[in-house]
Amino acid sequence: MKISVHRSRRAAVAVALGSVLALTATACGDDGSGAGGDKGSEGSGKGKIVFWDNNGGVRTDIWKEIIADFEKQNPGIEVEYVGIASTEYQSKVDTAIQGGGLPDVGGVGAAMLAGFAAQNALEPLDDRLGKSSLGGKLNEDMVKVLKAAGGGDGTLYSIPTSANNGVLYYRTDLFQAAGLEAPTTWDKFFAAADKLTEAGKNKFGYTIRGGTGSIAQALDATYGQSGITSFWNGDKTTVNDPKNVAALEKYAALYKKVTPAADLNNDFTKMVAQWDSGTIGMLNHNLGSYQDHVKALGVDKFRGIPQPTGTDGKRVQVSNPVDGLGLFKSSKNKDAAWKFIEFATSKAENSKFNESAGQVPSNNDAAKDAWIAKAEPTKLAAQALTDGSTTIVQLPYYLPDWNTISKSDNEPNFQKVLLGKMSAKDFLDTLAEQLNKAQAEWKQQKS
């Protein structure tokens, strides 16, 4: 039986909170673990806190370094690190919200924020930030993104750590050998993808993301080509605008023509590894994989530049992903947990984290550090976001249904588009129908 794609998370939330009431007596002991809806307590400011990393493995080493720094300066607090793969993180948090076992602190980026907040799992942080040494030190645009993503009421539920801007990585050695200019426009991008492809020799112009996380990348290419600068036209989404349909058709047609067939199931880790170890001309990913490319290729064989521009010289891209740290409401040691968040986003630690990740720091003082000028993709990304050349199409992270719609509901459909089993128009019409319904339900709930 097919489950309706128009389901709302409100029913799931109600079930989750009901489960919490039934489980509270057994699930929440003195260890600080809890479930969504628990009020928690400030605690003594000492003892043990648990931190869930939402990109475990990729960021484990740098987080352990930051934790060691924190414990050295706060000898009365112990931080237990739990690294969780990004593809598994949301489901693990949702399960803990319903059944208990939430951490004190966790990675909470813009894309998953509304869902957690709707389940009453996150502590509002506006007052804590206002009284903190971080006050006035954080990038205002990143704070605004997280406030907007939290459900539409302007409450801050996550302290930003970084912006992970979309980047077009390209192999400078391959481009030079082929006599190609940098792929700074969409026309140059498509021309290069064709010229660099020799499938018989296992050489391809591009690697497309067909597996987990494919929708945001596809929308980036779609809006980037169409030049449409708003996700909404009134209460209706623009995703299925005819210009976007044409753009997605052109982008999806790259699959197997100038890309490896394996791309159909590639998530970011497989896609990045494939690009680093092969002879593929271009890769769309974010700043987070920069250090992987440096290790694999050195700094002379590739560049990372902002997304291509249209023929008018203007760049349009979907939301600049902002990551952050959230304080779970069920924590029995909120005082110590907040100290950890403050420390992790202080100048020195925020700079250290983002230099390792190759991302744009949220701490304004950290963003002035010398390493940014040396990390070209980060430098160019930061410039593109501040020099007026780029328009950001804000994705509706505030919709509780957004993550479900953009992942489990439509990633399989996008694979059908790549395989020619579904048209780009049908795909975008289906996506639009779900989004319009979710938007109407959200507005009705707010009224």
Side-chain angles (χ1 to χ4, degrees), residues 194-413:
D194 282 330
K195 189 166 184 179
L196 292 171
T197 298
E198 295 180 68
K201 296 182 179 180
N202 204 33
K203 297 179 180 180
F204 299 95
Y206 185 60
T207 174
I208 199 168
R209 188 167 179 170
T212 302
S214 61
I215 302 303
Q217 182 173 303
L219 291 178
D220 225 0
T222 298
Y223 279 90
Q225 292 176 76
S226 73
I228 295 171
T229 57
S230 176
F231 196 80
W232 299 101
N233 182 9
D235 290 331
K236 302 297 182 183
T237 181
T238 58
V239 292
N240 61 337
D241 183 283
K243 291 181 180 179
N244 277 339
V245 172
L248 185 61
E249 286 173 347
K250 189 172 184 179
Y251 178 71
L254 294 172
Y255 175 64
K256 285 183 73 173
K257 179 184 175 187
V258 299
T259 80
D263 284 358
L264 182 70
N265 296 304
N266 277 358
D267 60 11
F268 86 90
T269 53
K270 293 175 183 175
M271 185 177 65
V272 167
Q274 179 178 261
W275 193 73
D276 286 345
S277 61
T279 50
I280 300 173
M282 295 176 289
L283 160 75
N284 271 119
H285 193 234
N286 54 48
L287 291 165
S289 60
Y290 172 66
Q291 294 296 342
D292 294 321
H293 309 321
V294 171
K295 290 175 185 176
L297 302 168
V299 295
D300 298 326
K301 289 185 178 180
F302 81 98
R303 286 184 73 203
I305 61 175
Q307 294 284 62
T309 64
T311 54
D312 59 0
K314 295 179 180 179
R315 180 181 300 105
V316 177
Q317 65 184 63
V318 299
S319 301
N320 179 37
V322 177
D323 205 1
L325 294 172
L327 172 57
F328 285 95
K329 186 176 288 187
S330 59
S331 170
K332 301 296 192 295
N333 204 351
K334 292 178 186 177
D335 185 44
W338 174 249
K339 287 178 183 176
F340 177 67
I341 292 175
E342 276 188 307
F343 183 84
T345 47
S346 64
K347 176 185 183 297
E349 304 302 317
N350 189 242
S351 182
K352 183 184 296 185
F353 174 84
N354 283 289
E355 183 175 9
S356 171
Q359 298 172 179
V360 181
S362 63
N363 187 295
N364 291 325
D365 292 332
K368 299 172 185 175
D369 281 354
W371 66 264
I372 291 182
K374 299 175 185 177
E376 187 190 33
T378 305
K379 176 184 175 183
L380 294 177
Q383 287 177 352
L385 292 173
T386 57
D387 65 6
S389 66
T390 304
T391 300
I392 301 292
V393 177
Q394 291 291 345
L395 296 177
Y397 292 133
Y398 58 85
L399 294 176
D401 287 343
W402 166 250
N403 245 22
T404 301
I405 291 171
S406 65
K407 293 185 181 294
S408 57
D409 283 350
N410 282 288
E411 285 176 353
N413 281 346

Side-chain angles (χ1 to χ4, degrees), residues 30 40-49 74 76-78 104 331-339:
D30 295 333
S41 60
E42 287 299 309
S44 65
K46 302 289 185 179
K48 176 181 171 183
I49 60 171
N74 296 271
I77 305 174
E78 175 192 353
D104 300 279
S331 170
K332 301 296 192 295
N333 204 351
K334 292 178 186 177
D335 185 44
W338 174 249
K339 287 178 183 176

Side-chain angles (χ1 to χ4, degrees), residues 3 7 39 84 92 99 134 152 175 218 224 237 295 302 316 340 353 402 419 435:
I3 299 174
R7 62 190 177 279
K39 292 182 179 180
I84 300 172
K92 284 190 176 293
L134 292 173
F175 269 67
T237 181
K295 290 175 185 176
F302 81 98
V316 177
F340 177 67
F353 174 84
W402 166 250
L419 292 170
L435 288 165

